[in-house]
Amino acid sequence: MEKEAGEKTLQDSSAAEAVVAYTSSTKRIAKNTLMLYFRQILIMLVSLYTVRVVLSTLGAEDYGIYNVVAGVVVMFGFVNNAMASGTQRFLNFYIGKNNEERTNQVYSASLVIHSLIAVVFVVVAETVGLWFVGLKLNIPMERHNVAMVVYQFTILTTVFSILRVPYNATVIAYERMSFFALLSIVETVLKLAVVFFLQISSFDKLIFYAFLLTVVAFVVSLVYKIYCNKIFAIAHYKRVKDFGFVKEQLSFSGWSLFGAVANVCCSQGTNIVLNMFTNVTVNAAMGIANQVNAAVYSFVGNFQTAFNPQIVKSYAEGNRKYFIDLICGASKVAFFLLTFLTVPLLVNCEFVLSVWLKNVPEYSVRFVQLILIWSLIDSWNGPLWMAIQATGNIRKYQVLISLFIFLNFPFTIIAFLLGASPEWILIIRIAINLFNTFWRVFFLYPRISLPRRRFVFGVVLRCSVVFVASLALTSLFGRLFSGSVLRFFMTCMVSVVLNAVFVMVFGVSSAERKAVFAFVRNRLGGAR
C-alpha cells in the first residue's frame, strides 16, 4: 500500500510539474506574441507610409528598378537562407536540452559559416550577378548606370544581413522578444528617417535610397552583436573542436539549401521572369503587392516566431502531445489571424490602394488580392515546416518539396510563352502552395504521427469554411453602400464580427469552444 501510495504521489507530482511547464510555456508564448504584435502594428503603419512616399518620390520606374535589382541580390543570397534556418533549429534544440556547451558550439560554428557565406556571396554577386544585371535585365538605358550603383549598395546591405543571422537567431532562441521587438521598431524609425532624407536630398534619389538602407542595415547588425555579446553567456566565440558536430550542422543546412534555391526561384526568380516578359512598371506593381503582403503576413510571422522555439523544444523534451497541439493550434490560429486582416482588404483592395498610393501601377490590385490568398494558404505551412525541422531528418523532405516549389519557375515561363497575363504568376503559385500543404501533412504522418484527419478536417476544412463564409457575406454586405469611404469602414466592422462568429461556430471544436468560454469566464471573474 505504501509503495502504491508512493507511486501515486510521484505520478501526481509529475502531472503537476507537466501542467506547470505547459502553463509557463503557454504564458511565454502569449507574452511574446503580444510584444511582437505591438511591434508589428507600428512597423506596419510606418512601412505602408514609407512605401507610399518612396513610390511617389522615386516614381514607378525607379521603384521597379530597385525591386528587380534587389531581387537579383536576394536570389544569389539563397545559401544564407538555408544556413539561417539550420542555425535557428540547432540553437532551439540544444537550449531545449539544456546543453550550454553544445549551444555555444552552434553559435561559434554559425559565426564562421556565415562569414564564409558572406565572402562566397560577394564573389558570386560580383561575377555572375553583375553580368546578369548588366546584360539581361530589362532596364531603361538612361538608368542603367544608376542601377549598377544601386546593385553594389544592395550587395553590401545583404552582407550585413548575412552576418547578423547568428545574433538574430540567438535572440529568438532565448525568446528575448522584448529586445527583438524594440530593435525592430528602431530599425523602422531609421527607415522612416531614410524617407525624410530622401525627400530633401539633392543627390540621385534612387542611389541615395540604396545607400541609406545600407547604413541602416549596418547599424542594426552592430546593435545585435553588442547586445548578444553582453547578455548571453554562449554568445562568445570559441574555437570549435568537434568537427563531427559541425558536419551535422552543415549537413542539415545543406539539405535546407534545396528549399532555399526553390523558394528563390519561386519568388525572386519569377519576378525576374516577369521583368523579362513585361517591364519595370509591372515589377513595381509586384513590389507593391509584396509590401502589402509583408505588412499583413508579418502579424502571422510574429505569432509563429513566438511559437517556433516551443515547437522545437517540446520535440527535444519528448512532450509529444504538446508538440502536436502546438502544430495544429498554431496553424489554425495563424490562419484566423490572417483572415481578420485579409477579408476587408480583399473586398476593398482598389479603394485602399488608391488612398494609400498617389499613383497605382497597373496590375497592383489583382496582384495584392492574389498574393493575400497565397499567404492564407501558406499560414498553415509554417508550423508544419518547423515540425519537420525539429526532427532533424529533413533530407527526403527537402528534395521533394524543393522540386514541387521549383515548378513555379518553369510553369511561369511556359505560361508567359503561351501568352498568359501577368496575374498567372501568382495563380500558379497559389495552386502549387495548396498542393504542398497537403503533401506536407501526409509526409509528416509516419514520421511524427501527425493526425492527418485532425489536420485536414480540424484545421484546413474549418479554416476554409470560416474564410469563404466571411468573404462572401462581407462582399454582399459591401454592395449595400455606394460611397467608398463608408463602404470601407462598414465592411471592416462587419468583417470583424462575422469572422469572430464564424471562428467560434465553425472554426473551433466543441472542446476548444468550451476552453475559450472558460478562459473568458475566469478572466471576467478575476476582474470582479
Side-chain angles (χ1 to χ4, degrees):
M1 290 294 291
E2 291 181 359
K3 182 179 179 181
E4 291 178 358
E7 290 178 350
K8 186 177 185 305
T9 302
L10 183 61
Q11 290 173 357
D12 291 343
S13 175
S14 299
E17 290 175 1
V19 170
V20 170
Y22 177 84
T23 304
S24 175
S25 298
T26 304
K27 286 182 178 178
R28 190 184 306 117
I29 290 172
K31 179 183 176 182
N32 290 338
T33 302
L34 288 174
M35 289 180 181
L36 294 173
Y37 268 114
F38 172 76
R39 152 195 180 264
Q40 194 53 44
I41 290 172
L42 179 61
I43 291 176
M44 183 185 71
L45 293 175
V46 174
S47 297
L48 293 177
Y49 170 74
T50 55
V51 170
R52 179 181 187 273
V53 176
V54 168
L55 178 63
S56 175
T57 306
L58 296 181
E61 184 177 272
D62 274 4
Y63 187 73
I65 290 172
Y66 182 81
N67 272 278
V68 73
V69 169
V72 174
V73 176
V74 172
M75 186 173 67
F76 285 103
F78 62 85
V79 176
N80 181 59
N81 297 331
M83 293 306 306
S85 63
T87 300
Q88 189 70 69
R89 184 266 173 188
F90 278 92
L91 284 172
N92 288 334
F93 187 86
Y94 286 111
I95 290 173
K97 290 285 189 181
N98 293 316
N99 191 329
E100 187 171 303
E101 182 180 354
R102 282 290 195 183
T103 307
N104 174 259
Q105 288 184 356
V106 173
Y107 172 84
S108 300
S110 67
L111 288 177
V112 176
I113 291 169
H114 282 88
S115 297
L116 292 174
I117 290 173
V119 173
V120 174
F121 165 75
V122 171
V123 172
V124 174
E126 293 291 4
T127 52
V128 180
L130 197 63
W131 165 81
F132 188 83
V133 172
L135 298 178
K136 296 299 180 180
L137 289 184
N138 184 13
I139 297 174
M141 285 300 299
E142 65 273 13
R143 301 298 287 166
H144 187 270
N145 290 336
V146 170
M148 298 304 288
V149 176
V150 169
Y151 179 69
Q152 296 300 322
F153 279 124
T154 310
I155 290 173
L156 194 54
T157 301
T158 306
V159 168
F160 291 135
S161 298
I162 291 172
L163 297 176
R164 183 199 306 180
V165 167
Y167 309 112
N168 181 275
T170 301
V171 169
I172 294 175
Y174 279 98
E175 301 183 65
R176 297 296 181 93
M177 300 307 175
S178 55
F179 172 78
F180 179 73
L182 178 61
L183 189 53
S184 298
I185 292 171
V186 171
E187 184 175 7
T188 301
V189 172
L190 290 175
K191 289 181 178 178
L192 185 61
V194 166
V195 172
F196 171 75
F197 286 116
L198 185 65
Q199 290 179 296
I200 65 175
S201 170
S202 58
F203 300 106
D204 184 283
K205 294 190 183 299
L206 183 55
I207 293 177
F208 194 54
Y209 179 62
F211 165 73
L212 291 177
L213 290 182
T214 302
V215 173
V216 171
F218 170 74
V219 171
V220 172
S221 299
L222 183 61
V223 173
Y224 261 114
K225 173 178 170 53
I226 294 171
Y227 177 83
C228 287
N229 292 157
K230 184 177 181 180
I231 299 299
F232 303 115
I234 62 100
H236 297 279
Y237 176 77
K238 293 181 181 178
R239 185 178 177 182
V240 181
K241 299 179 180 179
D242 186 354
F243 290 100
F245 169 73
V246 176
K247 182 180 178 182
E248 179 188 3
Q249 189 174 344
L250 286 172
S251 175
F252 181 92
S253 299
W255 290 114
S256 297
L257 190 63
F258 282 90
V261 173
N263 283 315
V264 165
C265 289
C266 174
S267 55
Q268 304 304 330
T270 53
N271 195 32
I272 291 170
V273 171
L274 185 66
N275 172 262
M276 297 174 71
F277 281 92
T278 57
N279 53 62
V280 291
T281 304
V282 181
N283 282 113
M286 183 62 77
I288 290 166
N290 285 327
Q291 288 289 341
V292 174
N293 182 59
V296 173
Y297 194 79
S298 57
F299 282 90
V300 175
N302 287 326
F303 173 76
Q304 291 178 342
T305 298
F307 258 88
N308 286 344
Q310 287 298 318
I311 291 176
V312 178
K313 290 173 185 176
S314 62
Y315 179 84
E317 294 165 357
N319 191 344
R320 184 186 174 277
K321 183 181 184 303
Y322 184 46
F323 177 63
I324 297 297
D325 287 345
L326 278 175
I327 295 169
C328 296
S331 298
K332 187 186 292 187
V333 175
F335 186 95
F336 292 150
L337 289 173
L338 201 54
T339 300
F340 276 94
L341 296 170
T342 55
V343 168
L345 275 176
L346 288 170
V347 173
N348 300 285
C349 189
E350 187 172 355
F351 170 73
V352 171
L353 291 184
S354 65
V355 172
W356 175 36
L357 306 172
K358 292 182 179 179
N359 299 302
V360 182
E362 188 182 5
Y363 297 109
S364 296
V365 173
R366 294 296 293 165
F367 281 173
V368 169
Q369 290 173 329
L370 289 170
I371 204 167
L372 288 176
I373 293 173
W374 178 87
S375 285
L376 279 167
I377 297 170
D378 201 56
S379 65
W380 292 321
N381 292 321
L384 294 176
W385 162 228
M386 190 53 57
I388 294 166
Q389 277 201 320
T391 67
N393 186 16
I394 64 170
R395 180 176 62 180
K396 185 176 180 180
Y397 167 83
Q398 284 291 6
V399 172
L400 292 174
I401 199 68
S402 300
L403 290 174
F404 298 147
I405 295 174
F406 180 76
L407 291 175
N408 280 278
F409 192 64
F411 283 3
T412 300
I413 294 175
I414 293 170
F416 278 125
L417 289 174
L418 293 175
S421 62
E423 292 95 333
W424 275 90
I425 189 174
L426 292 174
I427 294 173
I428 292 170
R429 194 181 299 181
I430 289 170
I432 291 177
N433 202 23
L434 185 60
F435 169 82
N436 287 341
T437 299
F438 287 102
W439 181 83
R440 285 185 176 98
V441 173
F442 283 85
F443 180 86
L444 276 171
Y445 169 69
R447 287 159 180 82
I448 62 170
S449 299
L450 177 69
R452 291 174 296 184
R453 289 182 60 85
R454 177 180 174 183
F455 197 94
V456 172
F457 293 101
V459 177
V460 175
L461 183 60
R462 287 181 181 274
C463 289
S464 301
V465 169
V466 170
F467 171 70
V468 172
S470 179
L471 180 62
L473 291 182
T474 303
S475 299
L476 288 173
F477 181 79
R479 294 180 182 179
L480 300 176
F481 303 93
S482 56
S484 297
V485 177
L486 179 61
R487 180 176 183 267
F488 172 73
F489 284 106
M490 293 303 294
T491 51
C492 283
M493 288 189 291
V494 168
S495 173
V496 170
V497 174
L498 288 175
N499 272 314
V501 171
F502 290 144
V503 165
M504 294 308 298
V505 175
F506 303 115
V508 297
S509 64
S510 58
E512 291 168 334
R513 194 178 304 114
K514 290 177 182 177
V516 171
F517 288 148
F519 176 81
V520 172
R521 282 196 300 270
N522 291 335
R523 286 295 180 184
L524 292 176
R528 296 194 190 97

